[in-house]
């Protein structure tokens, strides 16, 4: 018989897949002797069974749950539903991967009209008992009976107003009794049934509701965002309740063993006296910092600090711990690996290595390469003119400017219209998650560092300010006030999630600086990785940035970007408009010194590191004005003066635009096809490169040039272009007398190039896979249009697992890369291979590049750190290299 239910003392921390993260951790903590309230876990396999038989708990599972319940009753010496000595339990979700707040929980289960009286007598605290019962009715009604919490909150609000109270602690036992009567009426009206009084019925309904919550909207969005598989299901943990709301010697809190924002090795957290767990997590009351607990309950604090140390050592990582103090006794309710910012992730990983707790490899695997983005974000320039409007808690670092919005749907709509928005809410709930994703930053007026907004924003790497109570938010008027200042929806604010400050208007930002720990981790990554990391850079500024971030060369210098400069466009147009070879040569001779200067600048920065220069790639019409705009200009000019010079020029341009028009320009006259038809353009570029090399060599600047031919599909194209490069270089050598060491390679961007790579390799010294075009030409999707037209729908309906222009399509495009590498190396065993499409800066694609044996990846400068770390992780995962091999030049 399958075992579907485990008592805490039957499980262990390794059974995460079966017991969920929460269940496994509670079992593990029980095993190491920590004060964990008794309980049991219904497994994820039971969840699968629930869905398999049509959303029902089978007789077998029901039997096992009832058996476990008996054991729990025995262990606690209490009985579910016993009016004299009632057992109360929590029923919580617990998936394999932590999904904070995304699924449902029911607390205080077991309360009914009879047990509430028993609890009142037992605790000698009727107020506490009635408050607990009304909380249970509200939560159970929300989660199980699907009655909106709003009705219950409104009911309490009305009672408070009628009694003239400011807050809940002023409510008396009699008030809560009255509320319970009204709550039951709400249930009767909205659920069309009486509130269930049988605790066992309550239990099974709650377990089913938790299973159901695996498929609620916010859980689905969260899984998609965090790439958590849909089919894992959730376990359900049933645990005897302990109460943090039994008076001033009780309390509840959440603490991290290290600071989750900065990584500082110091206990960090918050608690509330006389409160239940959801009060802290929901951010309804702003809690006290954990350090205060040391003064308020020194013994409890001491025991808690010791437990935290023990848990961190046991799990060898920073822990996020939920605790409750019931009448002076400490209970640990949950521990899990704490979510953290990128800054904290790196500092914690590096310091744990220094403390001897983990290895360098483990440290490297503990930082998600995508998280590094957070550290590379801009921050507010301190020297800029700015006036602080308000200050809250610095919940998640980073700075952002955007339009104020007060509603998650509005945030999403405006973001879809390419607007930057900042979501401002009293507090966020999991239902706001799509708005948080769409916004640049989130600001809340209530809640602490562990509130929903803070936890979710940190996970997403987005700026967040919490508990900014000087903001009076009016959701109806769509505005907030700080003193006399009113900020309305659509006004621009700037926020700094690292300091908690909010400013009016837009403020200048500056580039990020990287911490010592960041550098250390990347140095360890460099020791491990075998894959080279280069950058795509077209000018000295980007090249410098790339070097600062640790690039080992330039893998793609797109020379057309040098043509786009406003001062050069007229000359480029002159070159395109030329009707004869001689006319074109005149324009090209003007461009040559300009290109030469650009190359000299780049060579100087790169100082002997390889620079791959790609000859002109885009179709020429991209350098001419848009046809529609030209037509408008021409119409206007004709109306003014039908014979002006300007009109004639525009008409000539229009003729050229029409002449160059192609139905499929991305499959048209571009790449090496330009060099084949207008060889003089490529000759000019090659001469500019070799003159630049000669000048650099004169200045003793080492140069390692690699000339790259784009969009080759047939070996004969490369053969011609190779000859062109060699001839032009010889001409320059005769002029300058400098003998240059250089190589000639090709981009592999069309399937035919990959499939005939053995032939192409005869003419190539290296291959660089241009996976932007290779994805376009393999799928036959336009890289410029697909994303806006149908790709999103394809991803949503799971026709495609993800966007192939962002994450390499391993099964299709990847197969071509693999084939290309294999065939190329059949011809030249030492053929150097790299990738320079966008995928070169994406972690999963980098893993693939490692697996197929590429020599290097090349990506935008800001992605270089990510690529260094992802490459190291790929090596570690492949279990390949223990120590660094002598570096082959990448
Ligand atoms: C590519 O196609 O992957 C590539 C790097 O070239 P571009 O994006 O300039 O076409
Ligand atoms: Mg390309």
């Amino acid at each position: 018989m399958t075992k579907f239910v485990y008592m805490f003392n039957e499980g262990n921390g390794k059974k995460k897949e079966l017991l969920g993260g929460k269940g496994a951790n509670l079992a593990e903590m029980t095993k190491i002797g920590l004060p964990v309230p008794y309980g049991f876990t219904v497994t994820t396999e039971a969840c699968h069974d629930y869905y398999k038989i049509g959303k029902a708990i089978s007789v077998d599972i029901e039997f096992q749950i009832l058996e476990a319940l008996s054991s729990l009753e025995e262990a606690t010496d209490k009985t579910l539903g016993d009016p004299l000595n009632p057992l109360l339990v929590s029923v919580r979700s617990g998936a394999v991967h932590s999904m904070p707040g995304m699924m449902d929980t029911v607390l205080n289960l077991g309360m009914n009209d009879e047990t509430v009286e028993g609890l009142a007598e037992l605790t000698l605290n009727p107020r506490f008992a009635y408050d607990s019962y009304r909380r249970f009715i509200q939560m159970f009604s929300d989660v199980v009976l699907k009655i909106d919490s709003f009705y219950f909150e409104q009911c309490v609000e009305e009672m408070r107003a009628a009694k003239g109270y400011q807050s809940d602690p002023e409510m008396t036992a009699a008030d809560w009794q009255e509320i319970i009567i009204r709550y039951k009426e709400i249930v009767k009206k909205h659920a069309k049934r009486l509130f269930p009084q049988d605790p066992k019925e309550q239990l099974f309904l709650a377990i089913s509701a938790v299973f159901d919550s695996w498929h609620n909207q916010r859980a689905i969005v969260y899984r998609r965002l965090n790439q958590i598989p849909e089919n894992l299901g959730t376990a359900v943990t049933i645990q005897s309740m302990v109460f943090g709301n039994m008076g001033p010697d009780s309390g509840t809190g959440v603490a991290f063993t290290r600071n989750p924002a900065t990584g500082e090795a110091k206990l960090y957290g918050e608690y509330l006296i006389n409160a239940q767990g959801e009060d802290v997590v929901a951010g309804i009351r702003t809690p006290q910092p954990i350090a205060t607990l040391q003064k308020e309950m020194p013994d409890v604090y001491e025991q808690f600090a010791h437990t935290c140390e023990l848990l961190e050592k046991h799990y060898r990582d920073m822990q996020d711990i939920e605790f409750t103090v019931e009448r002076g006794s400490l209970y640990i309710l949950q521990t899990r690996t704490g979510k953290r910012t990128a800054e904290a992730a790196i500092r914690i990983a590096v310091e744990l290595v220094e403390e001897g707790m983990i290895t360098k490899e483990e440290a490297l695997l503990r930082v998600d390469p995508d998280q590094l983005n957070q550290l590379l974000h801009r921050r507010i320039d301190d020297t800029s003119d700015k006036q602080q409007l308000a200050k809250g808690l610095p919940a998640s670092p980073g700075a952002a400017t955007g339009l104020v919005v007060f509603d998650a749907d509005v945030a999403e709509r405006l973001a879809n219209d390419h607007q930057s928005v900042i979501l401002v809410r009293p507090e966020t709930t999991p239902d706001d998650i799509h708005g948080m994703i769409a916004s640049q930053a989130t600001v809340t007026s209530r809640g602490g560092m562990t509130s929903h907004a803070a936890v979710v924003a940190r996970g997403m790497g987005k700026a967040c300010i919490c508990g900014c109570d000087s903001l009076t938010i009016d959701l109806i008027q769509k505005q907030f006030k700080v003193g006399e200042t009113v900020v309305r929806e659509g006004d621009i604010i700037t926020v700094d999630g690292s300091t908690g400050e909010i400013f009016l208007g837009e403020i200048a930002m500056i580039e990020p600086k990287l911490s010592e720990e960041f550098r250390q981790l990347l140095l360890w990554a460099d020791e491990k990785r075998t894959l080279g990391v280069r950058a795509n850079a077209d000018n000295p500024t980007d090249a410098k940035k790339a070097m600062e971030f640790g690039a080992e060369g330039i893998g793609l210098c797109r020379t057309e970007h040098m043509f786009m400069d406003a001062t050069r466009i007229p000359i480029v147009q002159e070159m395109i408009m030329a009707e004869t070879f001689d006319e074109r040569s005149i324009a090209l001779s003007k461009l040559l010194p300009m290109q030469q200067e650009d190359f000299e600048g780049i060579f100087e920065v790169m100082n002997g590191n390889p620079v791959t220069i790609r000859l002109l790639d885009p179709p020429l019409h991209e350098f001419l004005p848009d046809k529609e705009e030209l037509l408008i200009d021409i119409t206007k000019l004709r109306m003014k003066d039908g014979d002006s010079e300007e009109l004639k020029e525009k008409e000539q341009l229009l003729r050229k635009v029409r002449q160059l028009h192609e139905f499929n320009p991305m499959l048209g006259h571009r790449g090496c096809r330009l060099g084949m038809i207008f060889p003089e353009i490529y000759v000019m570029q090659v001469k500019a490169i070799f003159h630049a090399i000669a000048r650099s060599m004169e200045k003793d600047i080492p140069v390692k040039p690699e000339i790259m031919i784009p969009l080759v599909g047939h070996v004969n194209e490369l053969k011609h272009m190779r000859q062109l490069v060699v001839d032009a270089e010889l001409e320059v050598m005769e002029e300058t007398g400098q003998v240059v060491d250089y190589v000639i390679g090709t981009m592999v961007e069309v399937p035919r190039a990959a499939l005939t790579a053995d032939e192409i390799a005869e003419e190539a010294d290296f291959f660089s896979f241009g996976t932007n075009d290779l994805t376009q030409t393999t799928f036959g999707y336009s890289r410029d249009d697909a994303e806006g037209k149908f790709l999103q729908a394809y991803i949503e309906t799971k026709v495609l697992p993800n966007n192939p222009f962002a994450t390499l399509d391993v099964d299709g495009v990847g197969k071509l890369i693999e084939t290309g590498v294999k065939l190329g190396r059949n011809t030249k065993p030492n053929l150097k291979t790299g990738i320079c499409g966008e995928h070169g800066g994406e972690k999963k694609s980098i893993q693939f590049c490692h697996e197929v044996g590429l020599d290097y990846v090349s990506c935008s400068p800001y992605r270089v750190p990510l690529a260094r770390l992802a490459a190291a992780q790929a090596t570690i995962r492949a279990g390949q290299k223990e120590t660094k091999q002598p570096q082959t030049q990448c």
Side-chain angles (χ1 to χ4, degrees):
M1 192 171 72
T2 311
K3 186 168 170 60
F4 287 110
V5 181
Y6 286 72
M7 300 305 294
F8 289 169
N9 59 10
E10 292 178 312
N12 63 52
K14 293 199 180 85
K15 288 195 158 68
K16 273 205 166 81
E17 277 183 24
L18 192 64
L19 304 177
K22 188 175 293 156
N25 279 337
L26 285 166
E28 186 72 16
M29 289 196 297
T30 303
K31 209 174 94 182
I32 60 175
L34 292 180
V36 176
Y38 294 110
F40 60 88
T41 299
V42 185
T43 64
T44 51
E45 280 178 4
C47 180
H48 298 148
D49 188 81
Y50 173 81
Y51 282 106
K52 202 166 91 196
I53 63 169
K55 299 204 348 174
I57 295 173
S58 70
V59 177
D60 180 18
I61 294 173
E62 184 182 325
F63 178 75
Q64 293 191 34
I65 291 172
L66 290 173
E67 252 189 354
L69 179 63
S70 293
S71 304
L72 179 59
E73 288 174 333
E74 209 172 298
T76 55
D77 208 15
K78 293 177 183 173
T79 308
L80 197 69
D82 180 351
L84 299 178
N85 188 19
L87 170 69
L88 301 182
V89 296
S90 63
V91 179
R92 297 174 196 257
S93 60
V96 180
H97 302 278
S98 160
M99 295 169 57
M102 297 300 137
M103 285 181 291
D104 290 330
T105 286
V106 179
L107 304 177
N108 300 350
L109 189 139
M111 299 221 68
N112 59 21
D113 293 351
E114 289 181 344
T115 54
V116 69
E117 303 301 339
L119 191 69
E121 265 182 46
L122 264 176
T123 58
L124 303 174
N125 191 344
R127 187 192 175 282
F128 157 75
Y130 295 123
D131 183 18
S132 301
Y133 188 22
R134 72 94 199 173
R135 282 172 188 259
F136 171 57
I137 297 175
Q138 180 167 347
M139 211 170 198
F140 188 90
S141 300
D142 174 25
V143 170
V144 180
L145 305 176
K146 307 294 174 208
I147 304 171
D148 200 322
S149 282
F150 164 80
Y151 298 110
F152 300 99
E153 278 155 20
Q154 195 184 33
C155 173
V156 176
E157 195 76 39
E158 280 168 11
M159 170 77 90
R160 269 203 306 255
K163 301 268 176 180
Y165 300 153
Q166 297 300 314
S167 61
D168 287 357
E170 293 172 65
M171 301 276 274
T172 64
D175 295 333
W176 287 130
Q177 267 180 305
E178 176 60 33
I179 288 279
I180 288 165
I181 294 169
R182 293 190 197 173
Y183 270 18
K184 286 200 277 188
E185 279 162 13
I186 293 172
V187 172
K188 200 168 147 195
K189 181 170 169 203
H190 292 276
K192 310 264 180 296
R193 63 160 293 171
L194 296 176
F195 187 78
Q197 291 292 316
D198 174 4
K200 285 193 179 138
E201 184 191 1
Q202 293 170 357
L203 179 65
F204 285 102
L205 285 173
I207 293 173
S208 300
V210 173
F211 282 151
D212 289 340
S213 70
W214 175 256
H215 283 300
N216 72 31
Q217 196 50 32
R218 56 183 198 260
I220 292 170
V221 171
Y222 188 88
R223 283 199 291 275
R224 205 174 292 152
L225 182 71
N226 292 281
Q227 292 167 5
I228 297 173
E230 278 293 308
N231 59 356
L232 295 178
T234 181
V236 185
T237 292
I238 291 94
Q239 189 174 26
S240 70
M241 288 291 301
V242 284
F243 293 96
N245 54 346
M246 287 186 85
D249 57 351
S250 301
T252 189
V254 180
F256 295 84
T257 53
R258 297 178 191 231
N259 186 318
T262 65
E264 189 187 5
K266 196 170 150 197
L267 203 55
Y268 184 89
E270 297 158 333
Y271 72 99
L272 280 169
I273 288 289
N274 201 7
Q276 273 200 307
E278 80 266 22
D279 298 338
V280 181
V281 178
I284 292 162
R285 282 165 58 191
T286 302
Q288 298 287 307
I290 196 86
T292 324
L293 187 67
Q294 199 166 11
K295 290 188 210 109
E296 288 196 6
M297 299 183 189
D299 291 347
V300 169
Y301 180 84
E302 212 48 50
Q303 193 193 349
F304 180 62
H306 175 70
T307 305
C308 286
E309 226 181 286
L310 205 135
L311 280 170
E312 190 177 273
K313 285 215 171 90
H314 185 77
Y315 287 101
R316 300 162 65 244
D317 201 355
M318 184 264 259
Q319 295 295 296
D320 167 357
I321 301 163
E322 279 179 28
F323 67 96
T324 286
V325 181
E326 185 182 285
R327 293 192 160 157
S329 296
L330 174 72
Y331 292 94
I332 304 297
L333 302 187
Q334 189 180 158
T335 188
R336 58 186 166 193
T337 300
K339 297 233 178 268
R340 58 202 82 180
T341 62
E343 184 186 340
I346 291 169
R347 179 163 171 187
I348 291 169
V350 170
E351 290 186 354
L352 287 181
V353 173
E354 285 162 359
E355 290 165 28
M357 226 187 280
I358 60 173
T359 64
K360 286 181 193 175
E361 286 84 349
E362 283 174 299
L364 286 164
L365 290 174
R366 285 207 181 161
V367 179
D368 180 350
D370 287 342
Q371 268 196 311
L372 299 187
N373 270 339
Q374 282 181 35
L375 298 179
L376 307 174
H377 283 323
R378 295 175 306 162
R379 59 191 171 83
I380 286 175
D381 185 355
D382 287 338
T383 62
S384 62
D385 225 8
K386 59 185 184 303
Q387 225 183 341
Q388 186 188 307
L389 176 69
K391 191 165 181 189
L393 299 171
S396 182
T401 295
L403 310 179
V404 171
V405 292
F406 295 93
D407 179 280
D409 293 339
V410 178
E412 191 175 53
R413 186 163 44 74
L414 291 178
N416 285 341
D417 277 350
H418 308 290
Q419 308 258 33
S420 274
V421 295
I422 292 179
L423 182 64
V424 180
R425 303 275 310 160
E427 73 231 16
T428 63
T429 70
D431 291 332
D432 293 313
I433 188 160
H434 59 296
M436 294 182 70
I437 294 169
S439 305
Q440 301 297 311
T442 301
V443 175
T444 68
S445 56
R446 293 202 287 257
M449 296 286 280
T450 50
S451 66
H452 173 265
V455 172
V456 173
R458 271 202 296 274
M460 288 197 255
K462 295 203 172 198
C464 180
I465 296 172
C466 282
C468 190
D469 50 17
S470 58
L471 261 58
T472 312
I473 300 175
D474 183 338
L475 293 177
I476 307 290
Q477 297 293 322
K478 295 191 175 153
Q479 62 180 42
F480 69 77
K481 269 191 188 164
V482 182
E484 292 303 292
T485 311
V486 180
V487 177
R488 298 191 171 79
E489 184 171 82
D491 289 352
I492 293 179
I493 58 168
T494 298
V495 300
D496 188 342
S498 315
T499 62
E501 289 172 295
I502 302 174
F503 308 95
L504 278 180
E506 193 174 344
I507 296 173
M509 308 256 178
I510 50 171
E511 300 302 319
K513 238 177 139 195
L514 303 179
S515 70
E516 264 321 298
E517 288 88 4
F518 186 98
R519 284 178 213 289
Q520 180 61 74
L521 191 82
L522 288 180
L523 287 177
W524 290 341
D526 293 344
E527 282 172 21
K528 276 285 147 201
R529 68 186 162 88
T530 51
L531 201 56
V533 177
R534 295 191 186 186
N536 296 351
D538 319 316
N539 55 59
T541 312
D542 286 358
K544 210 178 271 171
K545 185 96 299 185
M547 293 299 281
E548 270 169 38
F549 284 148
E552 295 153 340
I554 289 180
L556 175 63
C557 172
R558 294 177 163 104
T559 51
E560 59 268 22
H561 290 176
M562 301 165 167
F563 280 24
M564 299 290 188
D565 187 284
T567 58
R568 297 178 188 183
I569 275 284
I571 310 172
V572 176
Q573 288 181 353
E574 192 183 320
M575 183 264 289
I576 296 171
M577 301 297 293
E579 295 295 338
T580 64
F581 175 83
D582 288 345
E583 272 176 26
R584 192 169 304 111
S585 297
I586 292 170
L588 285 169
S589 66
K590 289 186 207 164
L591 280 175
L592 190 147
M594 296 174 178
Q595 285 242 291
Q596 181 180 331
E597 196 184 318
D598 295 331
F599 294 134
E600 281 178 43
I602 291 175
F603 290 145
E604 189 175 342
V605 174
M606 295 311 291
N607 196 27
N609 287 296
V611 179
T612 309
I613 299 169
R614 181 181 74 184
L615 302 185
L616 196 65
D617 181 58
L620 293 181
H621 76 80
E622 283 192 12
F623 301 100
L624 296 182
D626 176 69
K627 190 169 93 183
E628 304 302 321
E629 281 170 22
L630 269 176
L631 280 170
I632 293 168
D633 288 351
I634 288 171
T635 311
K636 282 186 191 156
L637 286 168
R638 278 194 186 138
M639 280 161 63
K640 240 175 38 190
D641 172 4
D643 205 26
S644 71
E645 271 314 303
E646 198 185 349
L647 175 62
K648 281 181 198 151
E649 267 172 35
K650 296 260 177 189
E651 283 174 336
Q652 207 182 351
L653 265 175
L654 182 64
R655 273 195 294 282
K656 198 69 183 180
V657 168
R658 284 184 166 144
Q659 189 189 332
L660 292 178
H661 173 262
E662 290 176 290
F663 286 105
N664 292 310
M666 289 305 271
L667 298 177
H669 195 183
R670 57 172 289 226
C672 65
R673 303 158 205 165
L674 287 172
M676 295 292 291
I677 305 302
F678 304 116
E680 56 277 21
I681 301 179
Y682 274 21
V683 169
M684 178 282 286
Q685 291 199 295
V686 175
K687 286 186 172 172
I689 294 167
F690 284 100
H691 277 295
I693 294 170
R695 284 289 294 275
S696 305
M697 287 166 77
E698 276 165 30
K699 289 190 263 176
D700 279 337
I701 295 168
V703 183
K704 197 160 192 316
E706 302 178 345
I707 315 279
M708 184 155 75
I709 312 297
L711 225 69
V712 165
H714 196 287
V715 63
N716 288 341
E717 290 172 317
L718 189 58
K719 206 182 241 173
H720 273 81
M721 292 300 100
R722 188 176 184 99
Q723 196 56 52
L724 177 150
V725 174
V726 170
D727 292 346
E729 191 270 334
L730 278 176
E731 261 189 63
V732 176
M733 191 182 79
E734 273 169 23
E735 261 181 65
T736 62
Q738 295 277 21
V739 178
V740 180
D741 196 11
Y742 69 99
V743 290
I744 302 171
T746 184
M747 293 191 73
V748 177
E749 300 179 277
V750 296
R752 195 182 187 284
L755 297 171
T756 59
D758 45 350
E759 293 171 22
I760 290 178
E762 298 281 359
E763 301 293 330
D765 303 321
F766 66 90
F767 284 173
S768 178
F769 289 90
T771 44
N772 303 333
D773 273 312
L774 193 57
T775 302
Q776 168 170 258
T777 51
T778 302
F779 275 95
Y781 296 165
S782 160
R783 60 191 266 193
D784 298 316
D785 300 314
E787 275 155 301
K789 300 280 186 205
F790 59 86
L791 257 189
Q792 207 47 42
Y794 267 34
I795 295 158
E796 270 160 26
T797 55
K798 299 201 172 70
V799 173
L800 293 180
N802 40 37
N803 179 350
F805 289 104
T807 304
L808 194 80
D809 160 49
V810 167
D811 298 336
V813 180
K815 219 173 251 175
L816 284 169
I817 296 178
E818 216 173 334
T819 307
V821 172
K822 216 158 113 198
L823 290 178
R825 289 191 178 147
N826 278 349
T827 304
K828 284 188 181 158
N830 292 324
L831 185 80
K832 192 163 44 171
T833 55
I835 181 174
C836 62
E838 284 307 301
H839 309 88
E842 195 278 325
K843 63 179 179 188
K844 286 193 190 139
S845 314
I846 293 171
Q847 170 89 27
F848 174 79
C849 293
H850 174 89
E851 285 163 8
V852 292
L854 294 194
D855 293 296
Y856 67 88
V857 295
S858 187
C859 53
S860 82
Y862 279 90
R863 285 182 163 197
V864 165
L866 178 160
R868 289 163 70 191
L869 180 58
Q873 291 183 345
T875 314
I876 296 167
R877 287 201 186 105
Q880 282 181 345
K881 211 172 86 164
E882 277 313 303
T883 50
K884 194 175 179 183
Q885 307 284 324
Q887 180 87 39
T888 44
Q889 183 63 265
C890 78

